Amino acid sequence: MFLSRNQRRMETRLGHCLFIIFSEWIWIFTLTSILGGTKAEVRCIPSCQLPLISAAFPRELSALDLTNFGEATAEEFLRFTEGSVTPRNERHYDAELTASEESSSKVQPRFGGNISSSLHKGAPSSNQKLSQSEVSSRASFPFLSNVTENNTDDGGNKIGDVTENEDRNVSSWRRSARSTETWSGFRPEGGEDASVSDQEEFHLTSSTFALTEDTAHNQAMVHWSGQNSSVILMLTKYYDFNSGRVTESSLWRSTDYGTTYEKLNEKVGTKTILSYLYVSPNNKMKIMLLTDPEVESSLLISLDEGASYQKYSLSFDILSLLFHPEQEDWILAYSHDQKLYVSVEFGRRWQLVHDNVVPNRFYWSRLGLDKEQGMIHLEISVSDGRSQYITCKLQNCSDGNKSKPFPGFIIPNSLVVQDEYVFIQVPVGGQSVHYVSYKRNAFYPMKLPKYTLPKDLQIISTDDNQVVAAIQDWHQNDSYNLYMSESRGLFFTLMLEDVVSSGGPEGNIMIDLYEVAGIKGVFLSNKVVENQVKTYITYNKGRDWRLLQAPATDLQGNKVYCEQPYCSLHLHLHVSENPYTSGNIVSKDSAPGIILASGVVGPELTNANVSIFITSDAGNTWREVFQEEYSVFFLNQGGSLVAIRHTPLPIRHIWLSFDEGRNWDKYSFTSSPLYVDGVLGEPGEDTLIMTIFGHFSHRSEWQLVKIDFRSIFQQQCTSDDYLTWQLHNEGEVCIMGMKRIFQKLKANVRCVKARDQYISQMSDSCLCTEADFECDYGFERQIDGTCAPAFWFIHSATSRDCITGDSFLNTTGYHRALSNNCTEGNLLKYIPRRQKCPSQAPRGLQLFTSEGTLVATLGKNVTFLVFLEEGLGSMTSITVDFGDGTAISYVNISSIDDGVKHIYSKVGIYQVSATANNALGFDRVVLYLHVSCQLEQVQLSAPSVVIKNKAVNLTTVLQPSDVGTVTYYWWFDNKTEPVVTLSGAMPFSFSKEGTHTVTVQASVGNTVHQDQKRVAVYDYFRSHVLAFSSNLDELNPGVSEWREDIARVVKNCMVQVTGISEDQLLVTVLPGLPTTAEIFIVPEKRPRDRAMDEKWAHLDQLSQVLLSALNQDLIQFTLKPGVQVNVYATRLSPAPLVDSSDSGHSGTAVIMLVSVVLMGLAAFVIYKFKRKIPGMNTYTAEQPDKEQEVIPSVTSIAVPNPEGDKLTALDHVDVQLDSKSRGYLPSHTDIKLSDEAPHVF
């Protein structure tokens, strides 16, 4: 085939173009492989708080308390984590931004705890808690960040803990496992959205500073003072992941808004390793630095905004700090050993306040509520499972100066002091009962709807003088119900059911409830509806909820077909765990009505195809603004928006919108592309300066790019630059009893907002209608919107107010929301009516101990708590009868708010009663209190050898003997189920021969002691009681081990002297003095096949041999050099083995006693006048057919063999033993035997 010249020329050009394109593709591929992006995440945490260490760290730091973070200046902590594309000298780069705050904050530098899951709007009070965990490894910074405001409500915040824990091993800049954190999809640097593509490029005023000499550092902590201050402090550190500690640190300071930085290592000490930086929330001039405690425990203090430092040594290791909300020098420090310290000199000197303080359960007092400004609320750990709530002065917390606002014990980790409320949990009857104190008054149980049985309760908010709580009911697992209280926090009504919840990595609870900033009463929540998660919005603080309307068109302008209730807009409501970096949703007080959030349009909330949506009218209408991953920041008091793309490639552009995200202008902020690791905005009201943290390559040092936006704003805003918009809910303008009109900048106006212009709003009251009222406690909203009594509610004209007063507000079934400002109209129809308390008999009297148990200790104070549900308290007297013959009366219920104390002098079970009485009747409640003393020991007494199928007495001895009600648990051999008795004695018969184990446990209160014995069981045996020479008594220590050793020595001696098999001898030494023992002669292990009379004859022969050896003083042993002990035989019998009667003084026992006396006389006569007959005791299960013969005296010990004439092994015994016979010793006739069961050998 031949080609023309033109064809060949065309082919040559085409091949040349393909070669160029292919070469460029190879070059781009190589460059991107070398310059792989890093992943990073930005967090902002108040500067007076210690930031978290990354998830890769061996130490986890969590559960930071963030309070009033909206008023914070923007100190931020950067954490870099290297991307997985191209290793950077195998260094890890983690970044986290933290922000200092204006009010007190709790901080945890090293170890996290499981704190309350509640988080409140914007900037919580000083006691609010935000549980934090390790950050995710998601690329870049969070897609939405608040870095521009310095006000109390710095953006709407997720209500509930909002931590996210993700895999740190994902490739750099990839979408997180929970796509709810990001927008779906991303494009290369050149591929823009329709709204931002083909834009003219503008330039911003910027400067870049490199942190030289700190290339290896992988952590940074930044504090930007703001508030007319140009000072920025930056602490960089190298965290060694192998050793798990910081090995290097540098301190940098800028005085020109970040244009240049000065290294301050010489001022703090070149060998000093710094770990954390703190700033006083009340005075930004005061800076505190902590050193690494593994090197030295000290702190450095600056009083001139970080220009100079003075070093102070510490005697303890700081774990967390709590700054006072008003006093700039007052600080509480919590140590690793659960001790709380206080400093009133900004850390120069410290004083111990208290030990055994529960982590994160200490709070500063609040002026106007507490008696004194310098008081502290503490939860003290008393014992396992019990805590105590105390208050004391910060510099004098001795026992004499402690106060107990609640007299009893509380459940550990349950104290929450928040605004006007104090919450605790009290164990009552094995259940946890939630109590609340309003304005530091007496505690009362929180009243929930009757059949609400909470498995868990989380305090969500205490704003607007009412409590919002999330309760997981008995039938719920992954959802909670929201309840709202009246002003005192006592009575709760349902706000929203089945709200989505999830567990945080530290065990905290995250509730999908978000309070929109800037507009009171607007909330967003995700609710489970028929196994689908849907997003709802309310404009009247939970009275009415509705679905979100989907956008009319998508980002490309295509119409969206979405009809409610089958389709609507659903939003992810997880916010970041720090105040300046949002997760999925953000709003600002300075920009009321604007909400940015990630979500989907469809029948339910999913994690796929997530886009970014914005509303400018507080949720009525929404627009899709991005389908990529961007971080969006509020600029100029919310008058403008800044967006920075998430991408694995370096960037040099950002986008600005001046019309609420409808259009975006493209700006370059650096001449060279930068891998972005984080963004920090200037704190304060103007917020026109930002700093971008990043690096030019994987091997370069950190680059701090300062961007000054002031050049693009021409002038200060005037009234002509604003327009007004009215808040409405689908056209209804009366919301929460008001018509509210807000101001905002006109579209595309580029002017600087003044400090007071963004809060301008006008309001006008509306006439009250039924929509302004909620259902009262005990009432439920019906389908037609009215409130009717619940089936369980008895509408009684009584109130708790009548307990302490003479009048009350009688409900109509409705109550107006506390923040509702409607006037007149139907107000009188729905509001409660004040009435005089009726004369009514008391009802609902409650009585329990402060510990929540029915056990008390002898000689110690018992506190009884008495509560009355209904009745005229001022006219109702209370009488408490302690059950021991004493009682006390009070003229009214208010006299016993602190409880009733009593001390019992004897152990026992007491019937304690409380009686409430007035002219119309009475109410009485009873409890049974077990008073006991500490059980120290239990000893089991059991015979060593017993007859099969014969009942024996098993008894116990307690020390001390009188300890109160004792429960005994008996185990026999290996049986798993015990026999339970209330008596310390138990008859028992063994049905099998062999060795059996008996175990007994004695339980008194929380104390349990155990003892165990072994019992040998035979069909028949012989036994003799032994006595010892008196010198043994002098050396008897009364210890069981000593008795065991003596028994073993005696047995060995008998075996050696008599030749009797050791398997047929059992010796036990009995407790008590004089020292005695018992010898048992038992059948052979493998008995020969012989008749029963022959078996008895064989035991009789062995018994004769043993008694002959004893009578001739052949059984003796050496106790110690010079002390020879002889063993004798005596006629005394041991304790009876058979339980023959129930009474110790029965006629049978008397007959037996007389028989023993007669037998003794007969033996004495025979001994005197005839010949010596050894005494013996015989035990058998079956009597032999003929009477036992009296064996004559022994002249030689030769045991006949029934099968032949040969002698057994006993014939080696001296045949003249009879000549050395000593008989029985009368000196041992007064031996006393103990009840303790001996050990057998």
Side-chain angles (χ1 to χ4, degrees):
M1 178 178 180
F2 297 93
L3 301 175
S4 67
R5 179 180 303 176
N6 290 337
Q7 287 175 320
R8 287 195 297 270
R9 184 181 298 113
M10 185 182 300
E11 184 183 53
T12 303
R13 291 176 180 176
L14 178 61
H16 181 69
C17 293
L18 290 174
F19 176 79
I20 294 175
I21 293 173
F22 180 78
S23 300
E24 290 178 348
W25 182 84
I26 293 295
W27 180 81
I28 293 173
F29 178 82
T30 304
L31 178 62
T32 56
S33 298
I34 296 175
L35 302 179
T38 59
K39 52 188 175 181
E41 183 168 358
V42 176
R43 287 201 204 165
C44 305
I45 301 174
S47 66
C48 59
Q49 303 188 359
L50 301 181
L52 233 72
I53 295 178
S54 71
F57 291 5
R59 297 184 189 174
E60 287 186 1
L61 301 181
S62 61
L64 305 182
D65 285 352
L66 305 181
T67 61
N68 289 335
F69 41 69
E71 301 179 359
T73 60
E75 173 192 271
E76 298 186 279
F77 177 70
L78 266 82
R79 309 191 338 170
F80 296 86
T81 301
E82 181 185 15
S84 61
V85 177
T86 303
R88 203 176 144 194
N89 293 336
E90 297 184 358
R91 291 197 307 265
H92 296 274
Y93 285 83
D94 289 336
E96 178 174 314
L97 301 182
T98 69
S100 65
E101 60 181 299
E102 292 294 341
S103 66
S104 66
S105 316
K106 239 178 229 187
V107 289
Q108 289 194 277
R110 298 176 179 85
F111 299 96
N114 186 10
I115 312 304
S116 168
S117 66
S118 59
L119 168 67
H120 308 286
K121 175 183 176 300
S125 65
S126 62
N127 298 315
Q128 173 189 328
K129 301 188 184 315
L130 172 61
S131 180
Q132 302 203 2
S133 69
E134 49 197 351
V135 300
S136 69
S137 57
R138 179 165 53 83
S140 184
F141 34 87
F143 79 95
L144 294 171
S145 298
N146 290 330
V147 295
T148 61
E149 297 303 323
N150 187 29
N151 48 63
T152 301
D153 296 316
D154 184 46
N157 286 272
K158 169 79 182 312
I159 304 299
D161 280 349
V162 289
T163 61
E164 191 68 39
N165 185 15
E166 303 179 46
D167 184 8
R168 298 192 66 85
N169 295 320
V170 297
S171 59
S172 64
W173 292 85
R174 57 164 283 190
R175 185 188 301 244
S176 66
R178 285 183 64 96
S179 61
T180 61
E181 295 279 348
T182 62
W183 286 294
S184 61
F186 62 87
R187 302 192 183 108
E189 176 70 6
E192 311 295 347
D193 283 328
S195 59
V196 296
S197 61
D198 301 326
Q199 296 289 325
E200 179 185 358
E201 179 178 316
F202 302 96
H203 295 276
L204 292 170
T205 303
S206 65
S207 62
T208 303
F209 185 87
L211 298 183
T212 58
E213 303 177 10
D214 288 345
T215 305
H217 289 192
N218 52 13
Q219 291 183 354
M221 192 176 182
V222 184
H223 163 69
W224 194 338
S225 292
Q227 297 179 334
N228 299 322
S229 173
S230 59
V231 173
I232 301 176
L233 287 174
M234 186 170 185
L235 173 63
T236 65
K237 302 178 291 182
Y238 173 68
Y239 184 86
D240 188 342
F241 290 89
N242 294 323
S243 63
R245 55 185 294 264
V246 177
T247 58
E248 297 178 15
S249 67
S250 295
L251 184 64
W252 299 82
R253 185 172 186 261
S254 172
T255 57
D256 52 9
Y257 289 97
T259 303
T260 60
Y261 288 83
E262 175 190 3
K263 198 170 186 177
L264 302 182
N265 284 23
E266 295 290 339
K267 295 185 178 181
V268 299
T270 55
K271 296 183 178 180
T272 300
I273 298 178
L274 303 174
S275 58
Y276 293 97
L277 181 151
Y278 303 90
V279 181
S280 170
N282 302 299
N283 185 348
K284 303 303 179 183
M285 300 294 290
K286 296 185 176 182
I287 311 292
M288 180 184 295
L289 297 171
L290 279 185
T291 61
D292 186 351
E294 296 188 9
V295 179
E296 61 174 329
S297 187
S298 60
L299 54 82
L300 293 93
I301 295 175
S302 172
L303 303 179
D304 51 10
E305 208 168 3
S308 61
Y309 294 88
Q310 188 171 357
K311 197 171 187 178
Y312 296 88
S313 297
L314 291 174
S315 60
F316 61 96
D317 191 6
I318 294 179
L319 179 62
S320 63
L321 294 177
L322 178 64
F323 288 81
H324 194 278
E326 298 170 358
Q327 299 293 329
E328 62 187 49
D329 292 335
W330 291 13
I331 310 173
L332 292 175
Y334 187 74
S335 68
H336 286 86
D337 53 357
Q338 295 189 328
K339 293 182 179 179
L340 187 67
Y341 296 83
V342 65
S343 174
V344 294
E345 303 178 48
F346 198 71
R348 297 179 188 85
R349 295 183 182 86
W350 296 90
Q351 178 181 340
L352 177 65
V353 177
H354 208 286
D355 54 6
N356 296 323
V357 178
V358 177
N360 301 290
R361 300 299 176 182
F362 46 92
Y363 308 85
W364 285 108
S365 60
R366 180 171 171 178
L367 194 62
L369 289 173
D370 296 284
K371 297 179 181 179
E372 298 181 30
Q373 186 180 29
M375 287 183 61
I376 310 172
H377 299 263
L378 304 171
E379 181 181 331
I380 307 299
S381 178
V382 178
S383 61
D384 291 339
R386 296 194 304 177
S387 293
Q388 201 163 39
Y389 167 34
I390 68 169
T391 59
C392 61
K393 297 180 180 179
L394 67 129
Q395 289 182 302
N396 187 5
C397 202
S398 60
D399 291 338
N401 290 281
K402 294 178 186 177
S403 176
K404 297 179 181 178
F406 184 78
F409 293 99
I410 66 175
I411 294 177
N413 209 37
S414 67
L415 174 65
V416 177
V417 181
Q418 197 160 286
D419 297 329
E420 291 88 359
Y421 306 92
V422 180
F423 304 94
I424 59 174
Q425 295 180 48
V426 180
V428 178
Q431 295 182 344
S432 174
V433 179
H434 297 266
Y435 279 74
V436 62
S437 166
Y438 178 59
K439 292 186 176 180
R440 308 303 189 260
N441 293 318
F443 281 90
Y444 293 101
M446 296 165 62
K447 299 291 291 185
L448 302 171
K450 186 173 182 179
Y451 294 104
T452 299
L453 307 176
K455 293 192 297 186
D456 184 39
L457 186 150
Q458 303 289 338
I459 301 300
I460 298 297
S461 170
T462 54
D463 293 342
D464 300 326
N465 200 34
Q466 65 182 158
V467 180
V468 176
I471 296 176
Q472 188 172 59
D473 213 342
W474 60 273
H475 61 278
Q476 294 176 309
N477 293 319
D478 298 322
S479 63
Y480 279 67
N481 294 338
L482 297 179
Y483 290 85
M484 185 179 298
S485 77
E486 32 73 68
S487 61
R488 296 171 298 177
L490 285 176
F491 296 93
F492 285 80
T493 54
L494 184 64
M495 179 178 175
L496 184 65
E497 290 183 294
D498 297 322
V499 177
V500 174
S501 68
S502 57
E506 299 299 324
N508 50 314
I509 303 299
M510 298 184 292
I511 307 295
D512 273 16
L513 178 68
Y514 179 82
E515 182 175 5
V516 177
I519 304 177
K520 287 288 187 181
V522 181
F523 289 82
L524 291 162
S525 184
N526 286 328
K527 176 183 177 180
V528 181
V529 180
E530 296 179 350
N531 297 322
Q532 291 183 326
V533 177
K534 300 176 181 289
T535 301
Y536 288 78
I537 189 171
T538 178
Y539 291 86
N540 50 15
K541 203 171 183 179
R543 184 193 184 277
D544 302 293
W545 297 83
R546 66 171 175 86
L547 294 169
L548 294 177
Q549 184 65 50
T553 60
D554 61 14
L555 188 61
Q556 288 75 31
N558 302 317
K559 185 175 181 180
V560 175
Y561 296 93
C562 185
E563 182 178 352
Q564 294 184 7
Y566 310 104
C567 175
S568 60
L569 174 62
H570 310 287
L571 304 177
H572 292 283
L573 303 180
H574 287 177
V575 299
S576 176
E577 57 267 37
N578 61 71
Y580 287 106
T581 304
S582 298
N584 304 115
I585 185 168
V586 63
S587 58
K588 298 285 289 185
D589 280 326
S590 58
I594 298 179
I595 308 172
L596 279 153
S598 65
V600 297
V601 173
E604 63 176 328
L605 181 66
T606 64
N607 294 330
N609 301 320
V610 177
S611 298
I612 304 303
F613 299 90
I614 189 172
T615 177
S616 302
D617 54 6
N620 282 280
T621 59
W622 294 82
R623 291 176 285 109
E624 185 180 22
V625 293
F626 290 114
Q627 291 178 338
E628 303 185 70
E629 298 186 17
Y630 277 83
S631 290
V632 181
F633 303 90
F634 284 94
L635 187 68
N636 186 28
Q637 309 302 324
S640 307
L641 298 175
V642 180
I644 303 178
R645 171 176 295 164
H646 287 192
T647 172
L649 300 176
I651 63 173
R652 64 185 190 91
H653 297 113
I654 61 175
W655 287 265
L656 272 70
S657 175
F658 302 94
D659 56 0
E660 297 173 344
R662 292 178 175 84
N663 297 282
W664 298 86
D665 295 330
K666 185 177 182 180
Y667 288 81
S668 65
F669 65 90
T670 177
S671 58
S672 300
L674 183 75
Y675 291 96
V676 176
D677 298 311
V679 179
L680 171 65
E682 177 196 10
E685 301 302 331
D686 296 331
T687 318
L688 295 175
I689 297 176
M690 295 178 65
T691 299
I692 296 180
F693 300 83
H695 51 281
F696 292 130
S697 72
H698 289 299
R699 302 180 184 277
S700 69
E701 59 275 333
W702 285 1
Q703 306 292 327
L704 308 182
V705 181
K706 169 190 171 184
I707 304 176
D708 192 340
F709 293 98
R710 289 176 291 186
S711 61
I712 64 176
F713 295 95
Q714 293 88 2
Q715 60 188 8
Q716 291 286 331
C717 295
T718 65
S719 58
D720 295 334
D721 297 320
Y722 289 86
L723 57 82
T724 60
W725 67 277
Q726 187 169 33
L727 176 67
H728 67 93
N729 177 14
E730 294 185 324
E732 175 58 52
V733 296
C734 282
I735 299 176
M736 300 291 287
M738 291 186 298
K739 298 178 182 178
R740 285 179 280 183
I741 300 176
F742 296 89
Q743 285 186 335
K744 64 180 179 180
L745 284 177
K746 296 178 180 178
N748 296 313
V749 172
R750 301 188 184 185
C751 61
V752 179
K753 292 175 66 176
R755 291 191 175 187
D756 56 349
Q757 287 178 313
Y758 73 89
I759 61 173
S760 298
Q761 62 175 330
M762 297 170 285
S763 61
D764 188 17
S765 298
C766 298
L767 296 178
C768 291
T769 65
E770 190 272 339
D772 294 304
F773 293 86
E774 300 170 355
C775 292
D776 209 347
Y777 175 77
F779 291 79
E780 296 175 342
R781 191 168 299 280
Q782 307 302 304
I783 298 178
D784 60 359
T786 61
C787 296
F791 76 94
W792 50 265
F793 183 67
I794 301 176
H795 190 191
S796 174
T798 58
S799 169
R800 181 169 294 278
D801 294 334
C802 293
I803 303 299
T804 56
D806 295 327
S807 63
F808 75 105
L809 292 173
N810 190 12
T811 181
T812 60
Y814 299 84
H815 72 270
R816 185 172 57 171
L818 296 175
S819 52
N820 190 296
N821 294 312
C822 71
T823 58
E824 299 179 349
N826 294 328
L827 180 62
L828 297 178
K829 177 180 177 181
Y830 295 105
I831 63 172
R833 299 170 178 83
R834 180 161 294 280
Q835 297 179 2
K836 185 177 180 180
C837 289
S839 297
Q840 182 184 9
R843 190 178 69 174
L845 188 64
Q846 299 179 32
L847 172 68
F848 52 91
T849 65
S850 61
E851 299 184 21
T853 65
L854 298 177
V855 179
T857 302
L858 182 69
K860 292 187 177 181
N861 257 323
V862 185
T863 302
F864 296 97
L865 303 179
V866 183
F867 291 99
L868 183 62
E869 289 293 329
E870 295 182 6
L872 193 59
S874 59
M875 301 178 60
T876 302
S877 63
I878 301 293
T879 301
V880 179
D881 188 337
F882 302 108
D884 60 351
T886 59
I888 187 171
S889 297
Y890 298 88
V891 293
N892 55 61
I893 191 70
S894 60
S895 305
I896 52 176
D897 286 342
D898 295 332
V900 183
K901 294 180 172 58
H902 186 66
I903 297 177
Y904 288 90
S905 59
K906 293 182 180 180
V907 298
I909 302 177
Y910 294 88
Q911 184 189 69
V912 185
S913 64
T915 304
N917 196 1
N918 62 23
L920 296 179
F922 71 94
D923 192 11
R924 187 171 183 265
V925 62
V926 174
L927 65 81
Y928 293 91
L929 184 69
H930 294 246
V931 178
S932 61
C933 64
Q934 187 71 28
L935 177 64
E936 299 176 359
Q937 186 181 16
V938 59
Q939 293 181 349
L940 173 61
S941 295
S944 302
V945 183
V946 300
I947 297 296
K948 185 177 70 173
N949 293 325
K950 291 292 185 181
V952 295
N953 279 331
L954 305 175
T955 60
T956 57
V957 177
L958 303 180
Q959 293 183 2
S961 60
D962 191 5
V963 293
T965 304
V966 183
T967 304
Y968 297 89
Y969 302 87
W970 305 82
W971 282 271
F972 297 94
D973 294 325
N974 295 322
K975 292 184 178 180
T976 58
E977 293 296 327
V979 178
V980 182
T981 67
L982 295 177
S983 172
M986 179 180 180
F988 189 79
S989 59
F990 298 89
S991 60
K992 293 183 180 180
E993 286 191 83
T995 302
H996 297 265
T997 301
V998 180
T999 304
V1000 64
Q1001 286 184 346
S1003 174
V1004 180
N1006 295 325
T1007 304
V1008 178
H1009 287 284
Q1010 175 179 304
D1011 196 12
Q1012 189 177 80
K1013 298 297 180 185
R1014 291 182 179 273
V1015 178
V1017 180
Y1018 295 95
D1019 279 332
Y1020 59 97
F1021 62 88
R1022 303 286 194 195
S1023 72
H1024 300 276
V1025 178
L1026 306 178
F1028 299 89
S1029 54
S1030 59
N1031 57 354
L1032 183 62
D1033 294 342
E1034 300 173 359
L1035 301 174
N1036 186 346
V1039 179
S1040 61
E1041 290 80 3
W1042 181 87
R1043 294 192 293 271
E1044 294 172 7
D1045 288 336
I1046 295 298
R1048 176 175 46 81
V1049 170
V1050 171
K1051 177 180 177 180
N1052 292 339
C1053 183
M1054 289 181 174
V1055 171
Q1056 292 176 3
V1057 171
T1058 65
I1060 302 175
S1061 172
E1062 65 177 7
D1063 294 335
Q1064 290 189 265
L1065 292 180
L1066 299 177
V1067 179
T1068 177
V1069 177
L1070 305 177
L1073 293 175
T1075 307
T1076 56
E1078 188 170 7
I1079 176 71
F1080 298 91
I1081 306 173
V1082 299
E1084 298 174 294
K1085 283 189 174 180
R1086 295 181 179 178
R1088 301 175 184 178
D1089 188 11
R1090 56 177 77 168
M1092 180 57 70
D1093 57 347
E1094 292 179 348
K1095 294 179 181 179
W1096 277 106
H1098 181 63
L1099 286 188
D1100 291 341
Q1101 290 173 350
L1102 296 180
S1103 179
Q1104 287 294 330
V1105 172
L1106 182 60
L1107 289 173
S1108 296
L1110 289 168
N1111 290 336
Q1112 298 181 58
D1113 280 348
L1114 295 181
I1115 309 301
Q1116 54 184 245
F1117 60 92
T1118 301
L1119 186 64
K1120 67 179 183 177
V1123 179
Q1124 191 76 14
V1125 178
N1126 293 332
V1127 184
Y1128 309 110
T1130 179
R1131 276 196 173 278
L1132 290 182
S1133 297
L1137 301 178
V1138 180
D1139 185 13
S1140 57
S1141 68
D1142 296 332
S1143 174
H1145 302 282
S1146 65
T1148 304
V1150 175
I1151 294 174
M1152 291 179 63
L1153 180 59
V1154 174
S1155 299
V1156 170
V1157 173
L1158 293 177
M1159 289 177 64
L1161 290 175
F1164 179 77
V1165 171
I1166 294 172
Y1167 171 76
K1168 280 292 187 180
F1169 299 101
K1170 199 169 184 181
R1171 59 180 178 172
K1172 176 177 61 182
I1173 301 177
M1176 63 183 69
N1177 296 313
T1178 302
Y1179 300 90
T1180 179
E1182 296 180 1
Q1183 293 294 332
D1185 295 335
K1186 62 179 181 178
E1187 294 290 329
Q1188 294 287 326
E1189 296 181 357
V1190 178
I1191 299 177
S1193 61
V1194 180
T1195 56
S1196 65
I1197 305 180
V1199 180
N1201 189 340
E1203 298 180 359
D1205 297 333
K1206 295 182 180 180
L1207 297 179
T1208 66
L1210 299 178
D1211 58 359
H1212 73 278
V1213 183
D1214 187 4
V1215 297
Q1216 299 297 326
L1217 287 178
D1218 185 62
S1219 62
K1220 297 181 180 180
S1221 177
R1222 294 285 301 272
Y1224 302 112
L1225 298 180
S1227 61
H1228 289 273
T1229 57
D1230 58 346
I1231 293 176
K1232 297 180 180 179
L1233 303 180
S1234 169
D1235 290 335
E1236 181 179 345
H1239 293 270
V1240 178
F1241 288 85

